[in-house]
Amino acid sequence: AVFFIIVMYLFMYLWVSGGRLRHLALCGLFFGLGAASKWTCLYAGAGLAVIWFLDWLHRLKKGGTAKKFILNCLFCVLAFVIVPAAIYYLSYIPYGRASGLGEGMIFTKDYADIVLKNQRFMLSYHQGVHSEHPYSSRWYQWIFDIRPILYYLDRRDNNMLSTFGAFSNPVLCWGGLGAMGVTAYRAVKKRDRLAGFIVLGYLAQLLPWVFISRTTFAYHYFPSEVFLLLALCYVFALYEEKNENGWKIGVYGITGLSVALFAVFYPVLSGMALDRSLADALYKWLPSWPF
């Protein structure tokens, strides 16, 4: 899902940067592939729609015509509704085969019932996930990397610990959040369209979770982190434009620190056995970290 989000936003960026209809078509194609992989890509689609609409407001102010806008709307119905819906529908072919349906299954009522039944099941399941979980977390905890999720934990009798979990690299999570703040300021105060693009992409992935009451986990924040990285790159690009000599040091420093922390945290990402006292010394950055 994260891969498809990256690609769909790439093609939307090319479109708003003066691209051609093929970029918009490819954006819709990868949106469809993403939605067929995971529903969270639908949130990304909402962000794409906002960016597209704001881009057209800009175009109309610059002399774009209502006729071109309407024609582009019709093209987007094809690219972002009809094609993704077809991709999603066809993605259930393995379900149909597993149910014993043969050639031409996609045109049968039995196949359509499989698709519709699964949508109802997934929706009712997600609406009903409210059970307590020791490693669940909310959106306001994700942005500060407060509560990782553990997939495996083994506290062995010989004072050894083995675990692997999912959480954000602190450099990306905390540094990226600061960079996002700078990017948001530039988007609002300087009317910087590139900054606005990054901020809208980030909010499209995060804001829906503010209103979702089901049990959630740290990995739901991963699509947002794509835009944290873009915000960091944006800030360093600002330094470069101003001929600030320190921007290379910042880029190399952030990159090096990220790699170093990956190495430090590798044992709790991979299940490697560690002495408990060593784990407490290395990984208790926050009281809520369960390593």
Side-chain angles (χ1 to χ4, degrees), residues 7 94 98 146 156 158 212 228 254 264:
V7 179
I146 290 176
R156 304 177 184 180
N158 58 354
I212 291 175
L228 293 182
I254 288 288
V264 169

Side-chain angles (χ1 to χ4, degrees), residues 19 69 82-83 104 148 223 225 269 271:
F69 173 69
I82 296 175
V83 170
E225 293 185 338
L269 295 169

Side-chain angles (χ1 to χ4, degrees), residues 42-291:
L42 296 175
Y43 306 154
L48 294 174
V50 172
I51 291 170
W52 173 87
F53 181 73
L54 292 176
D55 176 64
W56 261 107
L57 286 181
H58 178 76
R59 291 179 185 227
L60 291 171
K61 289 180 181 179
K62 294 294 183 178
T65 64
K67 179 181 178 180
K68 288 184 177 180
F69 173 69
I70 293 172
L71 289 175
N72 198 245
C73 286
L74 294 175
F75 183 83
C76 286
V77 170
L78 172 65
F80 291 94
V81 179
I82 296 175
V83 170
I87 292 172
Y88 194 91
Y89 189 73
L90 293 174
S91 71
Y92 276 85
I93 288 176
Y95 278 69
R97 288 175 177 167
S99 300
L101 300 181
E103 296 295 329
M105 69 177 80
I106 63 173
F107 303 107
T108 66
K109 182 179 182 300
D110 289 339
Y111 182 87
D113 286 342
I114 290 173
V115 177
L116 293 174
K117 181 180 179 181
N118 204 54
Q119 307 316 299
R120 289 192 293 267
F121 169 76
M122 288 191 292
L123 183 60
S124 63
Y125 172 80
H126 286 293
Q127 289 176 336
V129 180
H130 296 286
S131 58
E132 293 293 328
H133 193 285
Y135 303 118
S136 64
S137 56
R138 297 296 297 160
W139 65 271
Y140 49 81
Q141 295 174 298
W142 307 339
I143 62 177
F144 297 112
D145 214 3
I146 290 176
R147 189 59 175 168
I149 177 174
L150 288 189
Y151 293 115
Y152 175 79
L153 174 65
D154 182 10
R155 297 185 180 275
R156 304 177 184 180
D157 295 335
N158 58 354
N159 205 39
M160 298 295 287
L161 172 73
S162 181
T163 178
F164 62 83
F167 59 104
S168 305
N169 188 310
V171 173
L172 177 60
C173 189
W174 299 338
L177 188 61
M180 187 60 70
V182 174
T183 307
Y185 171 82
R186 296 273 304 180
V188 175
K189 293 295 185 180
K190 304 295 183 180
R191 300 299 179 99
D192 188 316
R193 297 183 72 209
L194 176 57
F197 183 94
I198 295 171
V199 172
L200 285 172
Y202 176 75
L203 293 178
Q205 304 306 312
L206 179 63
L207 284 182
W209 296 106
V210 175
F211 306 100
I212 291 175
S213 60
R214 58 151 289 184
T215 304
T216 54
F217 301 93
Y219 58 74
H220 290 125
Y221 189 56
F222 289 173
S224 301
E225 293 185 338
V226 172
F227 299 93
L228 293 182
L229 179 57
L230 291 176
L232 279 169
C233 294
Y234 174 81
V235 169
F236 286 127
L238 289 179
Y239 279 109
E240 183 185 12
E241 288 176 5
K242 294 179 179 180
N243 295 317
E244 297 285 348
N245 294 327
W247 75 270
K248 286 188 178 181
I249 297 175
V251 171
Y252 295 143
I254 288 288
T255 303
L257 186 57
S258 296
V259 173
L261 283 185
F262 174 76
V264 169
F265 281 96
Y266 182 76
V268 294
L269 295 169
S270 63
M272 183 184 296
L274 281 176
D275 182 87
R276 290 189 191 182
S277 58
L278 178 61
D280 288 339
L282 284 177
Y283 306 126
K284 276 297 180 182
W285 290 23
L286 296 175
S288 55
W289 284 12
F291 309 118

